[in-house]
């Protein structure tokens, strides 16, 4: 909840303005019953019409005054709470943006979305409520108490019993409610998660006819959400009427006590009417308090969840003064005894003791069976994750000391799974370099064999892509993400299995263009097909998280069993006689 301080310090002035108007409004409400009692006891009892009219006029003026104050506080409250909500959402978004993958993986994606949307709204609603009714309720409650006691101390005995009973009820409501509201929020998370998973995989769900299964999953989450919400509503259904009942008993007691006094001529009717009026105001104030407390409980649960995100300390640190040496094309990358696990130092290592040097301008092919750690290896270079032990040096600088943004400026990556964003093709390509000219874009698209299919679209480079580029084929997406990387003119180019969806002719063409492009660029090329990496300067063979061979194709054919096995599985040749089968 510590994060709230920032916003409090930002908005407290306007908040006070709202409180000022609320106070005026409450004062107006508090004066009415007393004036009413005067009208009854003086005007009506003594049959003085002019007095009744005068006092009636005063009541009208006070009401108008209260109404103006009410509109003012509404305006201020809406303004402050909207602004607060927007700022909170923006800051939370920026915080999430700045977190490392390791940080983000501590939260489920769906829960991050609920935190950004529903949780922020809950807190915002509370802030709004705080300024509109929450401040008014205690004012009215205490004010009515004072006015009632002043009006008639004898009747106030009733308050002595009713007020503590109701306070206990409100407190209990709070205590029991909190855990339940947290539960409701959690189950809303699951509904979102199931929905998200379903929507992102909707084609596969339909293809495998898993509709019933998914519906079942959704129903389960949905019903749990329903049950939790019902539990909370039930709780409210018990507490609110009990509060109502207690106060109504109080009113009955006032009428009963008052009636006996009036008949003894010890009290005037107007006092009883006013007293009952004050008690009703107390009742409504208490009901509002318990309602706003529920809002508070919900907001607190939400604020805690938002706080959890704000409290994340970025696992990635760097030294702002460290920079990569400039003026050289192509970077040297050194892996020294690198081990890595996705679950932190204690987890099962995905990479074990990796030692590898990529010289500037070299093209390194990486091959190995699926799950052997190829993608994990290259993802360490732009510091998507930090190594568990060992170090990676780019141009001699340990990446752990480098600002990831500076590091990533020099690197272009074509991820294994092409990810594009909604927008035009051109906008997507400009991700590589926002200042690229049309010529440069077309040149890169040409190299990536993408120009011809883009030009074939009626709107060419202006063609709109759907979310994640759904309106493109897998191969088209791959070629666009290659072009996007080339536009960047990087020092290090990482191609993670980027030709898997392309036919061999297209792949060969791209490789030819890359050869001229990549001269001087350090290029890491992951591939499944040996032909894709055969002519690399160096081929790295990965097996189960380890490097089992580094060398040229010829050298590996002689010395690396795993490489030969991959070769055989792709070309079906006999084991060359000079490789000893182990
Ligand atoms: P591929 O792309 O199928 O040819 O396989 P590689 O060689 O690229 O394998 P890689 O590096 O994606 O995965 C190596 C191991 O790491 C494998 O056991 C799965 C695991 N792994 C990969 N990505 C993640 C991740 O984001 N989180 C966690 N916890 N584990 C991951
Ligand atoms: Mg991979």
């Amino acid at each position: 909840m510590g994060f709230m301080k920032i916003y409090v310090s930002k908005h407290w002035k306007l908040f006070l303005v709202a409180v000022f108007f609320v106070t005026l409004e409450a004062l107006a409400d508090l004066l009415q019953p007393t004036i009413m009692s005067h009208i009854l006891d003086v005007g009506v009892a003594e049959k003085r019409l002019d007095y009744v009219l005068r006092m009636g006029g005063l009541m009208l003026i006070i009401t108008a005054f209260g109404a103006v104050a009410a509109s003012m506080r509404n305006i201020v409250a809406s303004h402050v709470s909207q602004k607060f909500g927007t700022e909170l959402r923006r800051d939370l978004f920026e915080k999430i943006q700045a977190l490392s993958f390791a940080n983000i993986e501590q939260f489920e994606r769906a829960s991050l979305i609920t935190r950004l949307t529903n949780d922020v709204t809950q807190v915002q609603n509370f802030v709004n409520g705080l300024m509109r009714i929450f401040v008014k309720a205690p004012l009215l409650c205490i004010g009515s108490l004072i006015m009632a006691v002043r009006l008639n101390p004898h009747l106030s005995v009733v308050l002595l019993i009713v007020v503590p009973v109701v306070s206990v009820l409100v407190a209990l409501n709070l205590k029991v409610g909190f855990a339940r509201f947290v539960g409701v929020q959690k189950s809303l998370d699951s509904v979102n998660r199931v929905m998200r998973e379903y929507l992102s995989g909707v084609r596969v769900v339909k293809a495998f006819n898993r509709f019933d299964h998914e519906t079942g999953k959704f129903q389960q989450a949905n019903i749990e959400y329903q049950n939790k919400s019902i539990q909370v509503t039930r709780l409210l259904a018990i507490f609110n009427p009990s509060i109502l009942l207690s106060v109504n008993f109080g009113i009955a007691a006032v009428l009963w006590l008052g009636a006996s006094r009036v008949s003894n001529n010890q009290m005037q009717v107007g006092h009883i009417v006013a007293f009952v009026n004050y008690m009703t105001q107390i009742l409504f104030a208490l009901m509002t308090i318990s309602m706003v407390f529920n809002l508070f409980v919900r907001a607190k649960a939400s604020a805690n969840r938002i706080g959890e995100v704000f409290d994340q300390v970025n696992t990635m640190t760097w030294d702002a003064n460290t920079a990569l040496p400039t003026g050289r094309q192509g970077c040297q990358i050194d892996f020294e005894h690198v081990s890595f696990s996705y679950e932190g130092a204690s987890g099962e290592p995905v990479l074990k003791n990796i030692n590898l040097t990529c010289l500037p301008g070299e093209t390194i092919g990486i091959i190995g069976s699926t799950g052997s750690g190829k993608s994990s290896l290259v993802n360490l270079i732009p510091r998507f994750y930090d190594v568990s032990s060992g170090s990676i040096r780019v141009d001699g600088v340990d990446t752990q000391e480098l600002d990831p943004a500076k590091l990533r400026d020099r690197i272009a990556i074509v991820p294994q799974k092409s990810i594009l964003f909604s927008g035009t093709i051109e906008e997507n390509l400009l991700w590589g370099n926002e200042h690229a000219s049309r010529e440069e874009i077309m040149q890169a698209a040409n190299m990536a064999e993408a120009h011809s299919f883009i030009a074939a679209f009626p709107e060419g480079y202006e063609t709109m892509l759907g979310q994640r580029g759904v309106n493109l084929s897998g191969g088209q997406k791959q070629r666009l993400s290659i072009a996007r990387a080339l536009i960047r003119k990087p020092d290090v180019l990482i191609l993670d299995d980027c030709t898997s969806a392309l036919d061999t002719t297209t792949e060969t063409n791209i490789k030819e263009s890359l050869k001229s492009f990549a001269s001087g660029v350090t290029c890491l090329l992951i591939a499944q097909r040996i032909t894709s990496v055969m002519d690399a300067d160096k081929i790295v063979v990965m097996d189960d998280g380890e490097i089992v061979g580094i060398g040229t194709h010829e050298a590996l054919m002689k010395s690396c069993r795993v490489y030969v096995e991959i070769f055989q599985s792709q070309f079906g040749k006999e084991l060359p006689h000079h490789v000893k089968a182990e």
Side-chain angles (χ1 to χ4, degrees):
M1 298 277 279
F3 68 91
M4 290 295 285
K5 279 192 202 123
I6 306 166
Y7 303 97
V8 172
S9 68
K10 238 188 212 166
H11 296 299
W12 66 271
K13 283 186 198 139
L14 274 179
F15 189 89
L16 285 190
V17 173
V19 170
F20 171 72
F21 283 118
V22 171
T23 314
L24 289 186
E25 195 192 339
L27 274 180
D29 284 358
L30 284 174
L31 286 175
Q32 303 287 16
T34 303
I35 301 175
M36 182 77 175
S37 80
H38 287 314
I39 292 181
L40 285 175
D41 294 346
V42 181
V44 178
E46 297 172 15
K47 300 208 168 52
R48 282 169 54 187
L49 187 62
D50 63 319
Y51 187 84
V52 173
L53 285 179
R54 222 167 359 109
M55 283 299 171
L58 184 64
M59 278 177 98
L60 269 180
I61 292 171
I62 292 178
T63 310
F65 185 70
V68 171
S71 349
M72 292 307 288
R73 63 110 164 108
N74 259 353
I75 293 171
V76 178
S78 311
H79 174 78
V80 173
S81 60
Q82 288 295 344
K83 221 169 138 96
F84 162 79
T86 313
E87 286 171 5
L88 182 57
R89 240 187 314 270
R90 178 200 63 202
D91 296 346
L92 191 60
F93 184 78
E94 280 175 5
K95 174 79 188 181
I96 294 174
Q97 178 101 326
L99 287 175
S100 71
F101 289 77
N103 282 117
I104 289 180
E105 269 163 29
Q106 309 211 347
F107 301 98
E108 283 180 52
R109 298 275 158 95
S111 112
L112 282 179
I113 294 176
T114 353
R115 281 168 219 244
L116 260 170
T117 52
N118 181 54
D119 285 334
V120 173
T121 311
Q122 295 288 0
V123 180
Q124 178 184 334
N125 282 346
F126 174 69
V127 171
N128 191 18
L130 196 65
M131 282 182 279
R132 298 166 78 126
I133 37 179
F134 195 28
V135 179
K136 188 180 170 189
L139 278 178
L140 265 189
C141 189
I142 295 169
S144 296
L145 266 174
I146 295 172
M147 295 296 273
V149 174
R150 268 195 47 203
L151 191 72
N152 196 314
H154 292 289
L155 293 179
S156 309
V157 188
V158 179
L159 294 176
L160 228 56
I161 302 165
V162 175
V163 171
V165 169
V166 173
S167 309
V168 168
L169 282 175
V170 171
L172 262 180
N173 181 3
L174 243 187
K175 199 164 155 22
V176 186
F178 185 66
R180 309 259 152 108
F181 273 115
V182 176
V184 169
Q185 225 80 335
K186 280 217 180 105
S187 45
L188 183 61
D189 269 1
S190 342
V191 173
N192 280 352
R193 185 185 55 236
V194 175
M195 203 59 208
R196 211 186 104 93
E197 196 179 21
Y198 168 70
L199 287 177
S200 57
V202 66
R203 292 177 190 205
V204 183
V205 173
K206 295 208 168 173
F208 284 89
N209 276 329
R210 297 283 283 177
F211 204 76
D212 291 342
H213 176 81
E214 286 298 311
T215 312
K217 247 180 22 190
F218 182 74
Q219 251 327 68
Q220 203 182 339
N222 204 11
I223 283 179
E224 169 143 348
Y225 179 47
Q226 173 200 320
N227 290 342
K228 291 255 167 79
S229 306
I230 288 178
Q231 268 183 9
V232 170
T233 322
R234 274 202 195 124
L235 204 71
L236 298 188
I238 297 170
F239 279 107
N240 278 346
S242 340
I243 295 173
L244 201 67
L245 191 69
S246 321
V247 178
N248 276 331
F249 267 126
I251 291 177
V254 166
L255 289 176
W256 182 73
L257 268 177
S260 62
R261 294 193 143 248
V262 169
S263 58
N264 295 343
N265 269 340
Q266 282 170 314
M267 198 186 275
Q268 283 175 299
V269 181
H271 273 205
I272 298 181
V273 174
F275 204 93
V276 169
N277 249 319
Y278 281 124
M279 281 202 64
T280 331
Q281 280 196 353
I282 295 176
L283 162 75
F284 278 113
L286 285 172
M287 297 276 281
T288 331
I289 290 180
S290 85
M291 198 181 83
V292 179
F293 262 135
N294 284 322
L295 213 61
F296 168 75
V297 164
R298 227 184 275 201
K300 183 158 188 295
S302 288
N304 282 349
R305 286 157 45 91
I306 295 171
E308 277 170 20
V309 181
F310 277 118
D311 287 345
Q312 281 287 318
V313 181
N314 206 331
T315 51
M316 217 164 257
T317 54
W318 59 86
D319 176 4
N321 298 320
T322 315
L324 285 171
T326 48
R328 200 163 74 168
Q329 210 206 352
C331 294
Q332 172 162 346
I333 303 165
D334 298 288
F335 285 75
E336 283 167 15
H337 305 292
V338 169
S339 294
F340 170 68
S341 152
Y342 283 98
E343 289 93 28
S346 54
E348 177 71 14
V350 170
L351 295 173
K352 292 164 233 167
N353 194 25
I354 302 289
N355 287 293
L356 173 67
T357 297
C358 318
L359 296 172
E362 236 181 4
T363 296
I364 317 274
I366 303 177
I367 201 159
S369 59
T370 165
S372 56
K374 305 182 293 293
S375 300
S376 307
L377 179 81
V378 295
N379 283 342
L380 291 179
I381 300 173
R383 234 187 140 186
F384 290 149
Y385 295 92
D386 273 337
V387 297
S388 307
S389 67
S391 68
I392 300 175
R393 267 200 260 277
V394 173
D395 278 348
V397 184
D398 193 332
T399 51
Q400 303 241 33
E401 284 163 19
L402 266 173
D403 179 351
K406 282 190 202 160
L407 178 63
R408 289 170 199 163
D409 261 351
R410 310 280 287 270
I411 301 173
I413 186 161
V414 181
Q416 185 160 24
K417 201 169 150 216
S418 318
I419 293 180
L420 299 166
F421 290 81
S422 46
T424 65
I425 290 184
E426 181 170 10
E427 279 164 3
N428 267 284
L429 294 179
L430 285 174
W431 278 55
N433 170 10
E434 48 190 321
H435 305 298
S437 66
R438 207 9 120 69
E439 249 101 278
E440 287 171 306
I441 295 177
M442 282 192 355
Q443 200 190 355
N446 252 324
M447 279 196 275
E449 293 284 307
H451 178 73
S452 50
F453 84 81
I454 299 173
F457 288 133
E459 284 164 78
Y461 284 83
E462 304 301 326
T463 307
M464 284 299 287
L465 300 186
Q467 227 184 40
R468 289 170 172 263
V470 281
N471 44 351
L472 292 179
S473 78
Q476 287 172 333
K477 276 192 269 191
Q478 274 191 342
R479 279 177 278 173
L480 281 188
S481 47
I482 295 174
R484 179 175 64 189
L486 297 184
I487 286 173
R488 201 174 181 96
K489 302 221 167 75
D491 289 314
V492 180
L493 178 65
I494 298 170
L495 301 157
D496 189 350
D497 206 6
C498 64
T499 49
S500 60
L502 302 181
D503 58 87
T504 24
T505 328
T506 316
E507 188 189 350
T508 318
N509 290 344
I510 293 179
K511 273 182 63 189
E512 276 310 307
S513 335
L514 271 181
K515 255 188 207 148
S516 61
F517 174 87
S519 71
V521 176
T522 312
C523 182
L524 288 101
L525 176 75
I526 297 181
Q528 304 286 355
R529 294 193 279 256
I530 282 206
T531 47
S532 313
V533 291
M534 225 152 73
D535 46 3
D537 296 316
K538 224 164 28 195
I539 301 168
V540 173
V541 188
M542 303 267 319
D543 189 34
D544 196 18
E546 285 174 297
I547 294 183
V548 292
I550 301 181
T552 57
H553 173 70
E554 288 73 27
L556 288 170
M557 283 305 283
K558 287 192 193 112
S559 61
C560 181
R561 189 178 53 86
V562 177
Y563 188 76
V564 173
E565 277 169 10
I566 298 173
F567 185 87
Q568 283 173 341
S569 70
Q570 291 178 8
F571 295 95
K573 282 198 187 146
E574 281 298 302
L575 197 69
H577 64 275
H578 47 262
V579 174
K580 282 192 238 74
E582 286 168 38

